Amino acid sequence: MRIAIDAMGGDNAPEVTVEGGLAAAAEWKDTEIVLVGDQSRIEPLLEGKQVPANLTIRHASEVIDAEDEPVRAVRRKKDSSMVVAGRMVKEQEAHAMISAGNTGALMTTGLLVVGRMEGIERPALAPMIPTLDDLGVLALDLGANMDAKPEHLAQYAQMGSLYRQKVHNIAEPRVGLLNVGTEAGKGNELTKLAYPLLEQLPIRFVGNVEARDVLTGNCDVLVCDGFAGNILLKAMEGTAGAVFSLLKEQFTKSLKTKLAAAMLMPELRGLKGKLDYTEHGGAPLLGLGGLVVKSHGSADANAVKNAVRQARIALQNRLVESISKEISGK
Amino acid sequence: MRIAIDAMGGDNAPEVTVEGGLAAAAEWKDTEIVLVGDQSRIEPLLEGKQVPANLTIRHASEVIDAEDEPVRAVRRKKDSSMVVAGRMVKEQEAHAMISAGNTGALMTTGLLVVGRMEGIERPALAPMIPTLDDLGVLALDLGANMDAKPEHLAQYAQMGSLYRQKVHNIAEPRVGLLNVGTEAGKGNELTKLAYPLLEQLPIRFVGNVEARDVLTGNCDVLVCDGFAGNILLKAMEGTAGAVFSLLKEQFTKSLKTKLAAAMLMPELRGLKGKLDYTEHGGAPLLGLGGLVVKSHGSADANAVKNAVRQARIALQNRLVESISKEISGK
């Protein structure tokens, strides 16, 4: 199989994308890794390294930046590393693409370059949210579309369930609906209408899940519209961050607290890592005609390599074909 | 002025409502406190106590429970303490009512018994969310209505701004719109349409506020629909709770960690209180023809007294009249 990496995407590109690509190519000899990007910047990074035969470069002269307006950038920068990687997937020159670049632009590349899967109205971005049991929950949609209709939520549920089956090997993933109460009649217009649709699907629907229970990991897939998902994720991130900075403030108050905090440092570090959602690998963009994985903007080489690992598992288990079969019967 | 307390509402009623009412009547001699509820349960609690002349009982034979279906309960239990207190406000026998009872039933009492203010389409529940600077942010709507139209958000903004002015004495409250990004064009259909409406209001609109920044207290009033507000608040609550239970788990791991944690206990306790939203007093139900304040279900006597304090300030500063003037020009 062949996986294209947008070598120019992300805060630390191309250094970490090249390093991650090298590591992936060295580990998985059956996988061709194509680094897509500016040859003159990629090649020096390979100098003096052991370059495996299954690692190649595809030159692309342009770069989409974090500040670029997504739709305009994708339309105009036709030779950008991201768009070229997307075109490779579209034209089946690559089986998957990975990018740590501009999220909006990647979603636009998915829609306009790779293209939607037949029968899917809205592709969804599906990152893992960390949970206390360390298993995480796949949440979708997390920002590909702000508004959603009940039918979209039903498709998210199916796609998320298949992803957890195929990529994470969970036989019957528990699918929950993000809502304001656990009872069936609760919610806004959207979730009230989505509930009966989810009940009818061939998935293991476990009902409504309240925002305060997400961290306890009571479902494997959490379905929500992009707006609510963003509020959820950022509230969790902001609160965890705030608590840790409060702790730091309290713990540096006096010699006594500093001493005690030093004794607890290993435990505190482990705790922070537990709630760091950047550590949870790449987020697939589900519902496209090919496999697209979003790596975090601040991804390091290891995160890039992990995204390749994820893409390989998805490809080996024919994720895209399974979703297509489930949704459109084809 | 006269303030009716639903003496039977809340987890610890009527004990804490009676105690809180007694304390309020003792402190504010210019305020008549009316305890509304079952005389045979209230009177024994007053026995042997110094009962001020400004404390009276209004008998009500029924009680709305936490498990009651709100609309049905309010319609059927016409002699419940909550409905009687609402009727007193409607008929101007009382200037305000306070209840720690069933939230849904209280909102229904507000709508069906007290009645909406002219020109207000949707009354809103407006609790304080704790912030790191301890000043808190008034968030509305937090659950009175799950769905909202852009015009509703505009009314929430006006009502919230007036509340902060009149009750918290903030000259120009900063009003923010809960959204997925800080730029003006961000959001779902609702927030995109609400943004220009908020810009045109005679308030200090500070733009979009992301969920992760709410805790840092960058606005005094946070406007959102009831669904998004619920997701925000419960995500914050759940994450803070989870971090503290993780801390506890880590800190009881070994003798060393237990010792260190014991040294930090005063600091840890202060931290927990900082993020406990139950400590932040009563939440007004804004947009009604009279003043209704929701006290937390687990309110203690002090919380009940604080709700009286809040109601007094709102009445003294003619909050309801100000909102009416601003919204309908009357």
Side-chain angles (χ1 to χ4, degrees):
Chain A
M1 64 186 93
R2 189 182 292 132
I3 296 175
I5 298 178
D6 168 10
M8 312 308 286
D11 304 341
N12 312 309
E15 289 74 12
V16 302
T17 46
V18 170
E19 197 188 327
L22 268 172
E27 179 148 349
W28 299 294
K29 293 294 176 199
D30 63 349
T31 305
E32 285 178 57
I33 302 291
V34 184
L35 294 171
V36 184
D38 185 346
Q39 199 153 10
S40 71
R41 293 191 58 198
I42 297 172
E43 274 176 347
L45 296 168
L46 294 174
E47 261 167 41
K49 299 259 168 74
Q50 188 90 26
V51 179
N54 56 333
L55 183 91
T56 53
I57 300 174
R58 163 71 63 99
H59 179 66
S61 62
E62 293 174 293
V63 175
I64 293 182
D65 296 316
E67 293 72 32
D68 274 328
E69 196 282 309
V71 177
R72 189 184 314 179
V74 171
R75 287 216 169 113
R76 296 200 181 166
K77 294 185 173 176
K78 291 200 190 303
D79 199 39
S80 61
S81 55
M82 190 188 281
V83 171
V84 171
R87 210 152 48 222
M88 288 174 70
V89 174
K90 171 71 180 175
E91 290 164 3
Q92 300 185 324
E93 267 188 84
H95 301 93
M97 75 168 280
I98 290 162
S99 176
N102 183 321
T103 307
L106 184 60
M107 294 187 297
T108 307
T109 298
L111 272 176
L112 301 185
V113 181
V114 178
R116 276 183 307 204
M117 182 184 285
E118 199 188 323
I120 292 284
E121 287 192 59
R122 303 281 181 91
L125 186 65
M128 292 292 286
I129 294 184
T131 56
L132 297 183
D133 59 10
D134 292 328
L135 298 174
V137 53
L138 186 86
L140 74 171
D141 173 35
L142 253 291
N145 319 281
M146 284 301 130
D147 292 286
K149 291 182 182 158
E151 303 76 46
H152 302 151
L153 296 191
Q155 291 192 336
Y156 299 166
Q158 284 179 287
M159 296 194 294
S161 182
L162 279 166
Y163 186 84
R164 295 290 267 167
Q165 272 176 24
K166 300 290 176 185
V167 178
H168 297 143
N169 202 22
I170 300 173
E172 292 193 338
R174 296 159 303 163
V175 180
L177 177 63
L178 180 64
N179 213 333
V180 300
T182 52
E183 307 89 334
K186 289 275 181 179
N188 58 6
E189 213 179 309
L190 174 66
T191 57
K192 279 186 198 168
L193 290 170
Y195 193 99
L197 296 184
L198 295 181
E199 279 186 309
Q200 287 159 27
L201 291 174
I203 56 169
R204 185 172 163 203
F205 178 49
V206 296
N208 293 326
V209 170
E210 288 195 74
R212 75 171 132 229
D213 298 325
V214 171
L215 266 173
T216 60
N218 56 4
C219 61
D220 303 303
V221 177
L222 183 70
V223 173
C224 54
D225 68 81
F227 189 86
N230 180 290
I231 301 297
L232 172 76
L233 191 61
K234 288 195 181 155
M236 290 170 71
E237 212 188 312
T239 307
V243 175
F244 286 116
S245 56
L246 279 174
L247 281 174
K248 204 172 163 185
E249 194 186 299
Q250 297 290 324
F251 290 180
T252 51
K253 261 187 164 174
S254 68
L255 189 63
K256 184 193 82 172
T257 59
K258 277 183 196 164
L259 188 70
M263 288 165 73
L264 290 167
M265 207 34 79
E267 282 77 15
L268 286 171
R269 275 218 196 85
L271 207 63
K272 205 170 173 180
K274 216 176 169 90
L275 292 174
D276 184 357
Y277 84 117
T278 64
E279 294 193 358
H280 270 255
L285 196 47
L286 299 173
L288 298 173
L291 186 62
V292 176
V293 177
K294 168 81 182 88
S295 205
H296 202 270
S298 61
D300 61 12
N302 200 40
V304 173
K305 187 185 163 194
N306 275 334
V308 174
R309 183 197 313 273
Q310 239 175 297
R312 286 183 80 252
I313 300 174
L315 291 173
Q316 281 165 344
N317 293 291
R318 304 179 62 78
L319 172 74
V320 174
E321 292 82 351
S322 301
I323 293 176
S324 174
K325 202 176 154 198
E326 185 91 8
I327 301 281
S328 66
K330 285 181 190 171
Chain B
M1 65 185 93
R2 190 182 293 131
I3 296 174
I5 297 177
D6 167 11
M8 312 307 286
D11 303 343
N12 312 310
E15 288 76 11
V16 301
T17 47
V18 170
E19 198 188 326
L22 267 172
E27 178 149 350
W28 299 295
K29 291 295 175 199
D30 63 349
T31 306
E32 285 178 58
I33 302 290
V34 185
L35 294 170
V36 184
D38 185 345
Q39 199 153 11
S40 70
R41 292 192 57 198
I42 296 172
E43 274 176 348
L45 296 168
L46 295 174
E47 261 168 42
K49 298 259 169 76
Q50 189 90 26
V51 179
N54 57 332
L55 183 90
T56 54
I57 299 174
R58 165 70 63 97
H59 180 67
S61 62
E62 292 174 294
V63 175
I64 294 183
D65 296 314
E67 293 72 32
D68 273 328
E69 195 284 308
V71 178
R72 189 186 313 180
V74 171
R75 288 217 169 110
R76 295 200 182 166
K77 293 185 172 176
K78 293 200 190 300
D79 200 38
S80 61
S81 55
M82 189 188 281
V83 171
V84 171
R87 209 151 50 222
M88 288 174 70
V89 173
K90 170 72 179 175
E91 290 164 2
Q92 300 184 322
E93 265 187 88
H95 301 92
M97 75 167 280
I98 290 161
S99 176
N102 183 321
T103 307
L106 184 60
M107 295 186 298
T108 307
T109 298
L111 273 176
L112 301 186
V113 182
V114 178
R116 277 182 308 201
M117 182 184 286
E118 198 188 323
I120 293 284
E121 287 191 58
R122 302 281 181 92
L125 187 64
M128 293 293 286
I129 294 184
T131 57
L132 297 183
D133 59 10
D134 290 329
L135 298 173
V137 52
L138 186 85
L140 73 171
D141 173 34
L142 253 291
N145 318 280
M146 284 300 131
D147 292 286
K149 292 183 182 156
E151 305 76 48
H152 302 151
L153 296 191
Q155 291 193 333
Y156 299 166
Q158 285 179 287
M159 296 193 294
S161 181
L162 279 167
Y163 187 85
R164 294 291 266 166
Q165 272 177 23
K166 301 289 177 187
V167 178
H168 296 143
N169 202 23
I170 299 173
E172 292 193 339
R174 296 159 302 162
V175 180
L177 176 63
L178 180 65
N179 213 332
V180 299
T182 54
E183 307 89 333
K186 289 274 180 180
N188 58 6
E189 213 179 309
L190 173 66
T191 59
K192 279 186 198 168
L193 290 171
Y195 193 100
L197 297 183
L198 295 182
E199 278 185 310
Q200 287 160 28
L201 291 174
I203 56 169
R204 185 173 164 201
F205 178 49
V206 295
N208 292 325
V209 170
E210 288 195 74
R212 76 171 130 228
D213 298 325
V214 172
L215 266 173
T216 61
N218 56 4
C219 62
D220 304 302
V221 177
L222 183 70
V223 173
C224 54
D225 67 81
F227 189 86
N230 180 290
I231 300 297
L232 173 76
L233 190 61
K234 287 194 181 155
M236 291 171 71
E237 212 188 312
T239 307
V243 174
F244 286 115
S245 55
L246 279 174
L247 280 174
K248 204 173 164 185
E249 194 186 300
Q250 295 291 323
F251 291 180
T252 50
K253 261 187 164 174
S254 67
L255 190 62
K256 184 194 82 171
T257 60
K258 276 183 198 164
L259 188 69
M263 288 165 73
L264 291 167
M265 207 33 79
E267 283 77 16
L268 287 171
R269 276 218 195 85
L271 207 62
K272 205 169 175 183
K274 216 177 168 90
L275 293 173
D276 184 357
Y277 84 117
T278 63
E279 293 194 359
H280 270 254
L285 196 47
L286 298 173
L288 298 173
L291 187 61
V292 176
V293 177
K294 168 81 182 91
S295 206
H296 202 270
S298 60
D300 59 12
N302 201 39
V304 173
K305 188 184 162 194
N306 276 332
V308 174
R309 183 196 313 273
Q310 239 175 300
R312 285 184 80 251
I313 300 174
L315 291 172
Q316 281 166 343
N317 293 291
R318 304 179 62 78
L319 172 74
V320 174
E321 292 82 352
S322 302
I323 294 176
S324 174
K325 203 177 154 197
E326 185 92 8
I327 301 280
S328 66
K330 284 179 192 173

